[in-house]
């Protein structure tokens, strides 16, 4: 703040403008908004509190930086256009903003270029990786007025694949969006618990164990646990289906009643019903439920090896979990406790031997939900109820987000409603389902992709091909395969986060890997280009390496509209971040980054660096360094790995 006060003194402001709950030292827009508010309050007599929220960021630069619709000031005036003119006329001279331009009933405020560059660029250069995030830290505080009370805690549950089943598009999107949300809340000062809730329990894990006995290979399991368990599962499921067919056919034959070989057929049926896959799996799962060591040991090994492998793949996406939970981790006691509350509160009812909750009394759409099967076993929903309670006990969270495909809208709506009906409002009021649409046509050359690694490998290969088409550049890259891998991952992630979450999109390998259009490789290219500019400057002027651009560059030399336009974009990053916390949409960040990258690429022709006079060179380098920082901060928030060369 002292630094800002000093800088403002230089332009003739003896006090830092700061309306309540604003962070002018971290957010340039807070500074300008507060300043305009103060001046307008003084000149019009209207209360600051009314003015501040009416100052909106404009969407087009022709309309200035901030826009105010005078109706929003809620003053009793007949002629609003005249009121606007009057406010503009009375607005005093300011070192930071021009007198507002009036269009109809709108006041348009333009920041003055000089203070914009001299205040904003040093701020970005000094804050570095925290620029933007430092303006959002208060959001995660339990009490923004008293940071010593600590941070709020959020659980972000995401990815949550099922062991021995394919990692499908829903898991891919959950992984990408959830990774982003974890970063977002962390960036906004929350204490984040990243949680993976594995599908790792149920009779199918009995099936898997039986299958492993028949088709499994120890060597394969260790080498490629996820792929191998899936293969085993496919084989054993086929065998189980065949057995079921045999039983069905035999029963039909018996029903026809020819009678000749009935005894033989009955024996066949008996054999399968007693010793077939289905029965063995059932028995196996019962042993697992009873906590029998040997059965659990095998299952646990499958789980551990799978997690180990998942971890490696997630790491490629910059994702690390704090907690690998899963359906298996829900304790019988937790579900018992829930069942009791359900019953006591009259929420559940017994129907045909099973227990269910009739949610139609809250809303028709919610339907009826089964919480206990006739045989007494739990369901997916039951486990989620018990798990929520356990999570609250373990983490005492302030908020919990489930990042799950919109196919499960009903499931989560039922879950939250049941919790509420049980009186567990301490949990239900803190939970949110973050949903998303489907990926269409997610297939690769090898057919429909099944595992995350396969998808990433294919995209990496594709990216490698694209890179090879530019021989010159390709030759300069140190480790082209690694770069291709990183670019491929960016391609997949950006394609996924480009639109609103709820929209479906088509998995289009050619488009996402292109350097043109709003793609991951395009963003990476923008970042790499900024890095290369700096490398070139330093190669030509080695002493620049040591120069502290934030203090040494004369930023008033940045006068070109392209430079000012770019600084305006950079200045708005903290606001974009705050807005992203509201929308919880990665597209809020991406739309901004693409806009910024476009402003960048159209500035290069006008803002040459090499060959410019030293003062100009330093000022422009400061601008590009700040731009690289903002791009980098945004890309990391999305979970991308910004590359320095490509
Ligand atoms: N494993 C589930 C699936 O693949 C997703 C789990 C979502 N999370 C939850 N708490 N139910 O469909």
């Amino acid at each position: 703040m002292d630094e800002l006060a000093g800088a403002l003194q230089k332009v003739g402001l003896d006090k830092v403008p700061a309306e309540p709950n604003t962070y002018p030292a971290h957010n340039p827009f807070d500074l300008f908004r507060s300043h305009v508010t103060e001046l307008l309050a003084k000149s019009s007599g209207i209360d600051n509190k009314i003015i501040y929220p009416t100052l909106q960021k404009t969407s087009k630069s022709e309309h200035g930086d901030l826009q105010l619709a005078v109706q929003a000031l809620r003053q009793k005036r007949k002629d609003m256009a005249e009121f606007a003119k009057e406010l503009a006329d009375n607005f005093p001279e300011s070192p930071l903003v021009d007198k507002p331009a009036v269009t109809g009933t709108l006041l348009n405020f333009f920041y003055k270029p000089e203070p914009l560059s001299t205040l904003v660029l040093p701020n970005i250069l000094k804050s570095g990786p925290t620029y933007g995030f430092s303006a959002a830290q208060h959001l995660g505080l339990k009490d923004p007025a008293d940071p010593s009370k600590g941070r709020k805690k959020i659980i972000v549950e995401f990815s949550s694949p099922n062991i021995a089943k394919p990692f499908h598009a829903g898991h891919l999107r959950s992984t990408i969006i959830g990774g982003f949300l974890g970063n977002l809340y962390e960036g906004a000062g929350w204490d984040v618990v990243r949680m993976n809730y594995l599908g790792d329990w149920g009779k199918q894990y009995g099936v898997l164990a039986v299958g492993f006995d028949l088709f499994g290979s120890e060597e394969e399991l260790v080498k490629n646990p996820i792929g191998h368990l899936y293969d085993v599962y496919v084989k054993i499921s086929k065998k189980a289906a065949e057995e079921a067919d045999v039983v069905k056919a035999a029963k039909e034959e018996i029903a026809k009643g020819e009678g000749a070989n009935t005894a033989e057929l009955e024996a066949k049926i008996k054999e399968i019903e007693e010793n077939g896959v289905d029965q063995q799996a059932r028995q196996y799962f019962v042993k697992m439920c009873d906590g029998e060591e040997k059965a659990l040991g095998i299952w646990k090994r499958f789980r551990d090896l799978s997690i180990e492998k998942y971890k490696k793949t997630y790491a490629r996406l910059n994702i690390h979990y704090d907690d690998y939970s899963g359906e298996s981790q829900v304790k019988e006691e937790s579900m018992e406790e829930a069942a009791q509350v359900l019953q006591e509160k009259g929420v559940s009812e017994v129907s045909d031997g099973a227990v269910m909750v009739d949610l139609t009394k809250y809303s028709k759409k919610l339907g009826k939900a089964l919480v206990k099967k006739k045989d007494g076993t739990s369901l997916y929903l039951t486990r989620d109820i018990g798990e929520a309670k356990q999570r609250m006990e373990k983490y005492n969270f302030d908020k919990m987000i489930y990042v799950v495909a919109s196919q499960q809208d009903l499931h989560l709506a039922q879950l939250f409603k049941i919790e509420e009906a049980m009186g567990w409002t301490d949990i239900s009021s803190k939970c949110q389902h973050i949903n998303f649409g489907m990926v269409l046509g997610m297939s690769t050359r090898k057919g429909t992709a099944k595992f995350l690694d396969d998808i990433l490998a294919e995209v990496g290969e594709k990216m490698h091909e694209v890179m090879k088409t530019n021989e010159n550049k390709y030759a300069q890259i140190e480790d082209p395969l690694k770069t291709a891998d990183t670019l491929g991952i960016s391609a997949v992630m950006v394609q996924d986060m480009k639109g609103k979450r709820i929209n479906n999109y088509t998995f289009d390998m050619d488009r996402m890997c292109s350097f043109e259009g709003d793609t991951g490789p395009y963003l990476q290219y923008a970042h790499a280009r900024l890095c290369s500019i700096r490398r070139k400057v330093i190669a030509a002027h080695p002493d620049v390496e040591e120069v502290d651009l934030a203090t040494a560059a004369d930023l008033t030399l940045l006068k070109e509209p392209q430079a000012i336009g770019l600084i305006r974009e950079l200045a708005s990053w903290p606001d974009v971040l705050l807005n992203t916390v509201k929308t919880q949409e990665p597209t809020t960040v991406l739309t901004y980054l693409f806009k910024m990258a476009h402003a960048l690429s159209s500035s290069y022709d006008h803002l040459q660096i090499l060959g410019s006079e030293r003062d100009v060179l330093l000022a422009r380098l400061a601008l590009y360094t700040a731009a690289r920082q903002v791009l980098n901060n945004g890309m990391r928030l999305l979970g991308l790995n910004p590359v320095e060369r490509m």
Side-chain angles (χ1 to χ4, degrees), residues 18 102 111 117 133 185 202 233 248 311 322 357-358 410 482 485 551 559 586 611 625:
V102 182
Y111 301 160
S117 36
F133 302 106
Y185 278 91
Y233 191 72
K248 196 169 158 232
K311 279 186 183 166
D322 301 293
V357 180
D358 182 0
L410 179 64
K482 180 154 183 267
D485 190 60
T551 51
K559 292 193 192 313
T625 306

Side-chain angles (χ1 to χ4, degrees), residues 160-180:
S160 307
N162 305 318
I163 290 176
K165 298 251 184 79
F167 191 99
H168 57 63
H171 300 123
L172 176 71
R173 294 210 72 187
S174 173
T175 307
I176 294 173
I177 295 168
F180 157 75

Side-chain angles (χ1 to χ4, degrees), residues 449-609:
K450 286 197 190 74
F451 304 108
L452 186 50
D453 266 347
D454 300 338
I455 301 167
L456 299 183
E458 283 251 355
V459 184
E461 270 169 40
K462 172 81 200 175
M463 220 42 249
H464 192 214
E465 275 167 28
V466 176
M467 282 162 62
K468 277 196 278 193
T469 58
N470 190 333
E471 278 174 44
N472 266 340
K473 273 212 175 136
Y474 185 82
Q476 289 170 30
I477 301 172
E478 210 173 298
D479 186 347
L481 282 175
K482 180 154 183 267
T483 306
D485 190 60
T486 307
L487 295 182
I489 290 169
S490 305
V492 174
M493 291 178 66
V494 168
Q495 162 172 267
D496 192 274
M497 296 193 275
K498 210 161 79 171
K500 280 212 166 147
R501 288 189 328 253
I502 198 66
N503 295 343
N504 300 341
Y505 70 84
T506 305
F507 195 84
D508 185 337
M509 194 87 105
D510 290 331
R511 196 167 39 181
M512 74 170 108
C513 291
S514 164
F515 285 100
E516 275 141 48
D518 291 346
T519 65
Y522 174 78
L523 273 191
Q524 289 284 15
Y525 174 74
H527 186 267
R529 182 161 180 184
L530 289 167
C531 294
S532 125
I533 288 175
R534 185 176 167 88
R535 282 196 300 270
K536 283 187 187 142
V537 171
I538 295 201
H541 310 273
D543 66 299
V544 169
E545 176 114 63
E546 300 304 319
V547 174
D548 177 18
L549 294 167
T551 51
D554 178 2
L555 300 168
T556 61
L557 296 173
L558 296 168
K559 292 193 192 313
E560 300 76 4
Q562 290 80 9
I564 299 304
L566 189 53
I567 300 170
R568 288 206 151 91
E569 289 302 327
L570 302 181
S572 67
W573 164 241
D575 251 26
V576 170
L577 187 64
L578 293 175
N579 189 30
T580 308
V581 176
K582 286 193 194 127
T583 63
Q584 296 172 306
E585 290 277 3
T587 182
T588 310
V589 175
L590 269 173
T591 306
Y592 167 77
L593 291 183
F594 283 125
K595 197 168 165 221
M596 208 264 272
H598 294 313
L600 252 176
S601 68
S602 50
S603 75
Y604 290 127
D605 284 345
H606 305 275
L607 307 174
Q608 296 277 345
I609 292 201

